[in-house]
Amino acid sequence: MVKLSGGFQYSRNHQRITSQDPASGPGLFDGNGKLLGSASSPIQIWKDGDCIEQSSTDIWHSICASVKAACSLANVAGEEVSGLGFAATCSLVAVDADGSPVTVSWSGDTRRNIIVWMDHRAVKQAERINSSNSPVLQYFGGSVSPEMQPPKLLWVKENLQESWSMAFRWMDLSDWLSYRATGDDTRSLCTTICKWTYLGHAHMEQLNEKNSRDMEACGWDDDFWEEIGLGDLVEGHHAKIGRSVAFPGHPLGSGLTPAAAKELGLSVGTPVGTSLIDAHAGGMGIMESVPVSQYEEKENGKEAICHRMVLVCGTFTCHMAISRNKVSIPGLWGPYWSALVPEFWLTEGGQSATGALLDYIVENHVASPCLANRAAYQSTSLFELLNRILESMMHDMEVPFLAALTKDIHVLPDFHGKRSPIADPKAKGMISGLTLDTSEKQLALLYLATVQGIAYGTRHIVEHCNSYGHKIDILLACGGPSTNPLYIQQHADIIGCPIVLPRESESVLLGAAILGAVAAKKYSSVDEAMKALNAAGQVIHPSEDPKVKKYHDAKYRIFQDLYEQQLSHRSIMAEALS
């Protein structure tokens, strides 16, 4: 199920805010950023090898149903909603001049007009784009990913000529949702900068000249599009990919159109804010969630936010850190100007499979069905059951600390490629230390080693950022895996930083709600809304036991060695086949 979210705000006797996410439910928030209610609706997805597709029509219908359900469950009338914002996965949507779907599928099925973010059909196109050495690539750590939009667009042009000629608009999913709701084709700085190669700093220069936050799209590098074979997208002042671009939260058009308002069960003209990518909405919903404590006291004013890294955990993990000054880091995406917090530079790292990897490891083990049945019988999650098994093993085996159970098993978690700080979509997962054991205890060890492998990947990203000028010493985490105490404690111990969890678990929804709040002018800026609506919850501290640090330092070296071995093996086999 794809993750989507939209935020909308409403008032009764006091201010309230709402946001929408069919994966975890549209959420209604009050003026203090507290979640009041939610609902959910499933979304169809088609998978065929590297091709993963969805339907914008299906997604819109799901959104309309879940918005109405959320309002009903919270006992809120549609006319009480005062603002709406959308966030969605960075998936590519194709529509014709009438707004009807244009297929992006080999099947020709017109419903399938979305190439999902994790689709890897465009690996070869990405490689060709990266070989161009365009100056644009310096804002993507030196290379674009096949998960970004230029490679996907190039794939469609080269493989689906009829669809290419029919498409009138190519849009990020969250921008399409905003467009579907308002009829305003203004794109978000977040989506265009992070996934389309729009140069936000060019936007900044125009802002300085004209003092406007709603600008014509001046950040497209036409030479780049011409060089990679997509020069036709430059035509009509970039009409197909975005003539105008605005800050997230900027009010779009005249708000909800009559048709969209009727479908959503809301009022005509309800303000809608320019969108965010879902992970970035999570960043906006948590970035200011640090408690007033020693962590903030040692920092000065606006620089405090520059010491933080946000981990938005889900199917994959997105790592986001911001800075006042431009920091270029090889292997990490960015720096992106104003893609998350206005007038700050965003550095973005990521792991392509984290929550999805844990699901894969657990569900494909022979002991999984029995464990799943027991978890259901005990009304708990399978992961909680595995955590209990590990605690029992630690005591039975008399190991000094839980992490030490995995001294003989090591996992390189790149099962869906390596995103950062080394961009290698061809990377594969590796497991060292397997035996013929098929017991529940062996599954628990494999699960723990996988969690640790994911955390070593995050440590690699944090260390890489700090080596290039960031000063990250606090992590903020949100999303499904972050609610797992073992997952989050292993991350704290391995990275050596305290990790703050938000008061409200649905940070993506809250970030989307902030867009609606700003569009409805409940707050003068995104910064003000974040400070008002973000709130800290639990703080997880790293272990103070020096033996724990020594242990993880050793496993971290093995984590790095596994990838080096893979590169060596790849070279050996390439030579053999040459």
Side-chain angles (χ1 to χ4, degrees):
M1 198 177 294
V2 69
K3 188 168 225 179
L4 297 163
S5 61
F8 45 99
Q9 186 170 48
Y10 63 90
S11 298
R12 215 180 242 164
N13 297 323
H14 56 281
Q15 179 186 338
R16 295 181 179 179
I17 307 166
T18 299
S19 71
Q20 128 91 35
D21 183 340
S24 56
L28 287 78
F29 292 84
D30 66 15
N32 296 314
K34 281 196 64 85
L35 180 65
L36 302 178
S38 64
S40 63
S41 183
I43 299 170
Q44 190 167 6
I45 188 166
W46 292 270
K47 295 182 179 180
D48 183 11
D50 288 332
C51 297
I52 308 174
E53 297 151 355
Q54 289 180 310
S55 162
S56 63
T57 302
D58 175 55
I59 288 173
W60 180 254
H61 288 161
S62 294
I63 287 174
C64 293
S66 54
V67 166
K68 291 175 182 176
C71 289
S72 176
L73 288 169
N75 194 27
V76 173
E79 56 267 22
E80 293 177 284
V81 175
S82 61
L84 173 68
F86 292 96
T89 61
C90 47
S91 301
L92 179 65
V93 183
V95 294
D96 64 17
D98 297 323
S100 298
V102 173
T103 185
V104 292
S105 173
W106 282 118
S107 70
D109 186 344
T110 56
R111 293 174 300 170
R112 294 156 68 166
N113 70 318
I114 297 177
I115 301 179
V116 177
W117 70 270
M118 67 174 69
D119 183 292
H120 272 202
R121 70 181 70 183
V123 169
K124 292 182 179 179
Q125 285 75 16
E127 290 174 347
R128 293 211 309 273
I129 291 171
N130 293 332
S131 68
S132 70
N133 295 318
S134 168
V136 166
L137 299 179
Q138 68 180 288
Y139 294 94
F140 296 88
S143 62
V144 296
S145 161
E147 296 172 8
M148 293 178 177
Q149 310 307 6
K152 291 176 179 175
L153 289 164
L154 188 56
W155 183 93
V156 174
K157 182 175 182 179
E158 292 177 349
N159 292 278
L160 300 175
Q161 278 294 327
E162 184 175 356
S163 293
W164 184 256
S165 62
M166 288 177 61
F168 187 76
R169 285 186 174 90
W170 294 99
M171 309 183 78
D172 236 65
L173 179 53
S174 60
D175 284 334
W176 179 82
L177 293 170
S178 300
Y179 168 71
R180 180 66 176 77
T182 65
D184 187 337
D185 190 21
T186 297
R187 314 295 175 95
S188 168
L189 269 171
C190 177
T191 59
T192 52
I193 291 174
C194 296
K195 304 301 174 184
W196 294 74
T197 72
Y198 188 81
L199 301 177
H201 49 286
H203 201 91
M204 172 180 63
E205 293 165 2
Q206 189 182 32
L207 283 173
N208 293 337
E209 293 175 3
K210 299 187 178 181
N211 193 29
S212 169
R213 298 178 74 83
D214 181 18
M215 306 299 296
E216 63 186 53
C218 59
W220 295 117
D221 186 315
D222 293 351
D223 291 340
F224 168 76
W225 293 102
E226 292 281 358
E227 185 175 1
I228 68 172
L230 293 174
D232 38 350
L233 295 180
V234 173
E235 298 171 3
H237 301 288
H238 316 96
K240 291 186 177 182
I241 57 175
R243 282 181 171 176
S244 63
V245 179
F247 285 82
H250 174 86
L252 293 170
S254 300
L256 287 180
T257 64
K262 182 178 180 180
E263 291 174 293
L264 291 163
L266 306 177
S267 297
V268 175
T270 301
V272 178
T274 309
S275 67
L276 284 167
I277 298 167
D278 59 346
H280 298 68
M284 189 171 285
I286 194 178
M287 183 67 82
E288 289 286 3
S289 294
V290 174
V292 177
S293 66
Q294 59 185 19
Y295 307 126
E296 284 200 326
E297 289 168 4
K298 69 180 179 181
E299 300 166 351
N300 298 317
K302 292 186 176 181
E303 294 305 312
I305 200 171
C306 299
H307 286 252
R308 306 168 194 163
M309 174 174 277
V310 169
L311 308 184
V312 182
C313 311
T315 303
F316 66 103
T317 296
C318 184
H319 308 69
M320 290 176 282
I322 62 173
S323 58
R324 274 288 181 190
N325 300 315
K326 176 182 174 183
V327 181
S328 297
I329 305 178
L332 272 80
W333 297 344
Y336 301 139
W337 184 79
S338 291
L340 178 61
V341 180
E343 300 181 32
F344 280 81
W345 292 86
L346 171 67
T347 295
E348 184 179 335
Q351 293 164 287
S352 293
T354 50
L357 175 57
L358 288 172
D359 289 341
Y360 173 84
I361 291 292
V362 172
E363 292 171 3
N364 284 278
H365 194 280
V366 68
S368 182
C370 183
L371 269 179
N373 288 337
R374 192 189 314 162
Y377 179 77
Q378 297 178 5
S379 299
T380 188
S381 74
L382 194 151
F383 292 112
E384 175 56 31
L385 196 55
L386 287 168
N387 293 351
R388 293 178 198 168
I389 292 173
L390 289 167
E391 287 286 345
S392 177
M393 292 174 66
M394 179 181 69
H395 295 298
D396 294 344
M397 298 172 68
E398 298 182 346
V399 297
F401 45 87
L402 188 141
L405 289 168
T406 60
K407 65 183 179 67
D408 294 323
I409 186 166
H410 312 281
V411 175
L412 184 69
D414 303 328
F415 284 56
H416 196 57
K418 184 182 287 288
R419 184 182 293 179
S420 55
I422 301 169
D424 184 0
K426 293 183 178 179
K428 303 293 189 292
M430 298 174 69
I431 301 174
S432 171
L434 291 177
T435 70
L436 293 177
D437 187 354
T438 59
S439 68
E440 295 175 355
K441 290 182 178 180
Q442 195 275 341
L443 170 55
L445 292 177
L446 183 56
Y447 153 67
L448 175 57
T450 303
V451 169
Q452 292 170 340
I454 292 168
Y456 297 131
T458 293
R459 173 173 168 173
H460 194 187
I461 292 169
V462 172
E463 290 182 351
H464 195 65
C465 285
N466 286 344
S467 70
Y468 278 87
H470 280 281
K471 299 177 180 179
I472 299 159
D473 56 19
I474 303 171
L475 304 181
L476 302 98
C478 64
S482 72
T483 63
N484 181 338
L486 180 141
Y487 185 93
I488 211 70
Q489 186 64 60
Q490 291 296 304
H491 274 70
D493 292 346
I494 286 167
I495 300 162
C497 294
I499 301 180
V500 183
L501 302 178
R503 180 192 64 194
E504 299 297 327
S505 60
E506 298 292 351
S507 297
V508 173
L509 300 181
L510 179 57
I514 286 171
L515 302 175
V518 174
K521 302 194 183 304
K522 298 298 181 181
Y523 299 95
S524 62
S525 67
V526 163
D527 312 58
E528 181 184 343
M530 288 170 60
K531 289 176 181 176
L533 300 174
N534 286 192
Q538 183 182 5
V539 180
I540 292 85
H541 297 274
S543 172
E544 296 181 358
D545 186 345
K547 293 180 180 178
V548 173
K549 182 181 186 304
K550 182 179 180 182
Y551 176 83
H552 284 305
D553 286 347
K555 280 186 68 80
Y556 182 51
R557 290 199 301 273
I558 294 172
F559 165 84
Q560 294 172 310
D561 287 345
L562 286 174
Y563 181 65
E564 292 301 321
Q565 290 174 25
Q566 182 175 143
L567 292 180
S568 175
H569 297 167
R570 192 189 299 176
S571 176
I572 291 170
M573 296 313 300
E575 183 178 350
L577 292 170
S578 64

